[in-house]
Amino acid sequence: MEVLNITLKGTLAGVFGTGLGGLLIVLLGKPRKTVLSSVIALSGGIMLSVVFSDLLPEAIKMGGPFSAFIGLLIGVVFLLLLDLYLPHCHFQSRTDGDCKQVRYIRTSILIGLGIAMHNFPEGLAIGVGYAASEKLGLSLTFIIGLQNVPEGMAMAGPMKAGFLSNLSILMWTALAGVPMGLGAFCGALAGGVSSLILSLSLGFAAGAMLYVVFDELLPEADELSEGHSATFGAILGVIIGLMVSLF
C-alpha cells in the first residue's frame, strides 16, 4: 500500500506540474521573460540545495560515500544519454533542430515526449526520497512538481500557436507528467530492497537533478534573464530549499 501511495504522489506531482504549465499558457499566454527566468532559476536553486543538504548526505549515511558517488555518476550519465538520444527544448523558441518550427503541433509533441522521458528519473528521485524519509519525499515532490511547470509551458506554447483546443492542451500537458509516477514506483521498490540500493538510488537521483539544474534550468534561466532575474531567482531558490530542509 505504501508503494502505491508513493506512486500516486509522484504521478500527481508530474501531472499537476506539467498540467499547471499548460493551464498558465491557456489562461495567460506566454509570460514575460523576466518572470519565466525567475521561476526557472528558483526551481534550479531549490533543487541544488536539496541535492547537497538532503539527497547526498542521506545517500552517504545509507551506504557510504563510495556508493553515493557511484549512484551520482550513473545518474549524470543516464540523463546525458537521454539528452543525446531524446533531446527536448524548453519554453523559448530556438533556431536549431526540431525546435526551429516551434509553432507546429508536431514540435510540441516531440517536446512532450522528451519531457515525459525526462520525468521518469525525476519520479525515481521522489520514490527513493520517500523510501529514505517522509520529509525528504515530501520536499522532492514539491520541488520537482514546481520544476515541471516551465516544462508544461514549453509543451503548451506551440500547441497554443497551432490553434489546438484548450482542452487538448491541458490533456496532453498533464499526460506528459504521468511517467513521473512510474519513476516513483520504481524508486520506492528500489529503496525498499537494501540500504546499499537505497544509497545508490539516492545518489542517482542527486546526479540526475544536478544534470537537470546545470544543463537545463540555469542556462535556460540565464538566457531568458533580463537584468539579474536569474541570479536572484536562483539565490532565493537555494534559501527556500534550505528552509524546507531545516523545517
Side-chain angles (χ1 to χ4, degrees), residues 21-22 38 40 52 62 68 93 97 115 133 151 158 169 173 186 189 208 234 236:
S38 299
I40 294 174
F52 290 109
M62 291 292 176
S93 174
I115 290 170
S133 71
E151 301 276 13
I169 292 173
T173 51
C186 294
L189 289 180
L236 180 60

Side-chain angles (χ1 to χ4, degrees), residues 52-177:
F52 290 109
S53 64
D54 284 319
L55 281 176
L56 284 179
E58 195 70 31
I60 293 170
K61 177 183 175 183
M62 291 292 176
F66 181 75
S67 61
F69 174 77
I70 293 299
L72 186 148
L73 187 60
I74 295 172
V76 170
V77 172
F78 183 79
L79 263 291
L80 173 62
L81 293 175
L82 275 185
D83 262 356
L84 289 176
Y85 294 102
L86 287 168
H88 72 292
C89 55
H90 296 276
F91 187 76
Q92 69 215 58
S93 174
R94 299 182 190 269
T95 58
D96 56 88
D98 289 327
C99 298
K100 66 181 179 181
Q101 297 178 334
V102 74
R103 293 185 179 276
Y104 294 99
I105 294 175
R106 175 181 173 276
T107 300
S108 68
I109 293 173
L110 291 174
I111 295 172
L113 287 173
I115 290 170
M117 292 301 298
H118 282 70
N119 275 340
F120 178 82
E122 292 174 358
L124 184 69
I126 291 175
V128 298
Y130 274 110
S133 71
E134 183 77 14
K135 178 185 175 183
L136 179 57
L138 284 172
S139 298
L140 290 171
T141 301
F142 168 75
I143 290 162
I144 293 174
L146 175 64
Q147 184 262 325
N148 264 19
V149 175
E151 301 276 13
M153 295 169 73
M155 186 177 174
M159 288 184 174
K160 185 72 172 178
F163 302 104
L164 205 65
S165 70
N166 290 339
L167 183 60
S168 295
I169 292 173
L170 293 175
M171 180 186 71
W172 287 113
T173 51
L175 282 175

Side-chain angles (χ1 to χ4, degrees), residues 197-210:
I197 296 298
L198 180 56
S199 176
L200 287 168
S201 299
L202 287 167
F204 178 95
M209 291 176 69
L210 281 178

